[in-house]
Amino acid sequence: TKGTSGGLAGVVFQRYPETYEAYLNAVEEEALTAGEMLVTFENDKWVYNLVTQVNPGADAKLEYISDAFAKMKSHATVKGVRSIGCPVIGSGIGGLNWIDVERKISREWGVNNSNAVELHIVSQHALPPQPWRV
């Protein structure tokens, strides 16, 4: 919500400059609130920016992650998205324990659900592969 980004978000913004511009505009307009998402369509892909914290640094909250994931899942389902890559959100710079975040995500996403949207957790560290389906 403050116009800063790091980790994978910084990489995404380099790859998707129109998304970065939309993010900066949303910050300037004070349109981003925790638990919401900013979604753009760029290079034939939906890009989801989940707002999981208010301030830079170790400020992520599990309830914000849950709320933002619910919104992303709903949008992805309606738009026919088949696969989403997601970082170990909230547990790097955000300061949360990944095990707690993973539990929250798996509850929100539905671990053994057989519908169409797969969620793939992307990490620079070795994590067991576990796609979740909406």
Side-chain angles (χ1 to χ4, degrees):
T1 62
K2 305 295 183 193
T4 60
S5 63
L8 185 60
V11 174
V12 169
F13 286 153
Q14 287 176 355
R15 185 172 289 172
Y16 299 96
E18 292 172 22
T19 296
Y20 183 53
E21 188 166 325
Y23 167 71
L24 292 177
N25 288 337
V27 168
E28 185 175 313
E29 295 169 5
E30 297 181 355
L32 294 178
T33 57
E36 297 293 326
M37 70 171 184
L38 171 70
V39 62
T40 58
F41 192 76
E42 185 174 354
N43 298 336
D44 294 323
K45 294 181 183 190
W46 290 105
V47 180
Y48 296 96
N49 291 275
L50 307 183
V51 184
T52 61
Q53 57 196 75
V54 175
N55 297 301
D59 190 48
K61 305 279 187 272
L62 288 172
E63 58 270 20
Y64 300 158
I65 290 172
S66 182
D67 291 348
F69 263 83
K71 291 171 177 80
M72 179 174 68
K73 181 174 70 171
S74 177
H75 182 274
T77 301
V78 168
K79 295 298 182 181
V81 174
R82 298 183 70 189
S83 179
I84 297 174
C86 179
V88 286
I89 192 164
S91 63
I93 296 169
L96 295 174
N97 180 311
W98 171 246
I99 292 170
D100 296 333
V101 175
E102 189 269 344
R103 277 190 207 120
K104 183 64 87 173
I105 291 171
S106 67
R107 271 187 240 124
E108 183 59 51
W109 208 260
V111 174
N112 291 314
N113 200 320
S114 61
N115 290 326
V117 183
E118 283 190 354
L119 179 68
H120 298 272
I121 302 300
V122 179
S123 173
Q124 64 186 7
H125 307 291
L127 291 174
Q130 185 167 359
W132 292 298
R133 294 183 188 271
V134 174

